[in-house]
Amino acid sequence: MKQAVLSRSLVLAVLALLIAGSISAYVLLSPQRTWDSAPTIIVDNRGLSSVTDGNGGVSRTVAAITSSQAWNGAGQGTVVNAQAGSVASWQLGDGIPMLNFDDPENVCTGTCLAATFTGFFTTRPDGSVRIFDADIVTNTSFSWTSEGEADGCASEFFIEGVQVHEVGHLLGLGHSNVSGATMFPSVSSCNNGPATTAADDNAAINDLYGDGGGGPTGCLLLPRGASCTSNSQCCSGSCKGKPGRQTCR
């Protein structure tokens, strides 16, 4: 059975291999960071040529990313959205999170199945760190499959589980050393276990985005100091200031 490194989470400034810094359980990226609101990932509508489920695994990937069995079912509601679309405008750091079924950056080689660029963040007025972009690339030198293929799996890797893992990085998670967790750094062929988050993964996402956790104000709406146009956009429910210069209070 083939075994491969599930991902490299890439910090743009140094393109360094992410090393889990904890001796046990989940790891959050450093500096700890969150999105202001649930990002929408554009999933490459070209699909993967080695996936024969109808549209190259596109629909399966979108469904896996947004499934209640993954990050959106971990206890904090919707933390990520996804939709099929073109990645022709691919550009790192442009504020549009994309999942590319190719690797235009040529960074995911060898045993790397997929990689996530996590180095796009800024500091909020309250000192917390805001993610403004993250992008995923895929190693097409591997044979891929999906749950939608009728002929089963033969030394292939499931696109669903691998990309759910990558989205964990996109949301702010590092690698876990808990075997069986979605964020464990490697996976064997024909193992789609990472498509379903485990208790360790759920604890991680709740720590990052849950009440009292590392998120900007414990919610997925706009944090204090962010630009707003209505009270409903703010975690505090308070949007104040002169027209065009309103911020969450």
Side-chain angles (χ1 to χ4, degrees):
M1 182 176 291
K2 292 183 178 179
Q3 186 89 8
V5 175
L6 202 55
S7 75
R8 292 192 300 176
S9 181
L10 300 171
V11 178
L12 182 65
V14 294
L15 290 181
L17 178 66
L18 178 69
I19 303 297
S22 173
I23 60 172
S24 64
Y26 64 82
V27 174
L28 305 180
L29 292 180
S30 181
Q32 190 168 308
R33 65 199 75 163
T34 55
W35 294 83
D36 282 342
S37 58
T40 297
I41 303 169
I42 305 301
V43 176
D44 189 349
N45 59 15
R46 298 173 299 176
L48 282 160
S49 60
S50 59
V51 178
T52 60
D53 72 350
N55 64 353
V58 178
S59 297
R60 292 278 175 173
T61 300
V62 170
I65 291 170
T66 58
S67 170
S68 61
Q69 299 300 307
W71 306 114
N72 285 344
Q76 294 305 319
T78 300
V79 296
V80 64
N81 299 299
Q83 63 185 44
S86 172
V87 296
S89 62
W90 172 269
Q91 182 177 341
L92 298 178
D94 63 356
I96 305 172
M98 290 185 175
L99 189 165
N100 200 322
F101 284 129
D102 203 345
D103 181 9
E105 307 300 326
N106 298 311
V107 295
C108 188
T109 59
T111 60
C112 170
L113 288 168
T116 304
F117 291 86
T118 61
F120 304 102
F121 52 87
T122 59
T123 302
R124 299 183 179 99
D126 66 357
S128 63
V129 180
R130 166 186 172 266
I131 304 169
F132 67 88
D133 193 21
D135 298 291
I136 299 167
V137 296
T138 311
N139 189 343
T140 57
S141 68
F142 286 94
S143 294
W144 295 91
T145 188
S146 80
E147 291 283 3
E149 293 196 9
D151 57 356
C153 177
S155 298
E156 299 164 300
F157 291 92
F158 278 100
I159 192 62
E160 295 98 331
V162 169
Q163 299 300 355
V164 169
H165 171 99
E166 295 307 318
V167 170
H169 290 314
L170 179 145
L171 291 171
L173 305 185
H175 285 143
S176 169
N177 71 350
V178 176
S179 179
T182 292
M183 296 313 296
F184 192 71
S186 64
V187 68
S188 56
S189 60
C190 298
N191 176 9
N192 201 29
T196 300
T197 55
D200 184 66
D201 305 302
N202 296 342
I205 205 71
N206 286 321
D207 184 1
L208 197 56
Y209 288 97
D211 292 338
T217 53
C219 74
L220 292 176
L221 298 175
L222 297 177
R224 180 168 57 87
S227 298
C228 59
T229 57
S230 67
N231 291 346
S232 63
Q233 292 178 314
C234 303
C235 295
S236 62
S238 176
C239 176
K240 296 182 179 180
K242 296 180 180 179
R245 299 181 63 182
Q246 293 173 294
T247 57
C248 295
R249 302 296 176 89

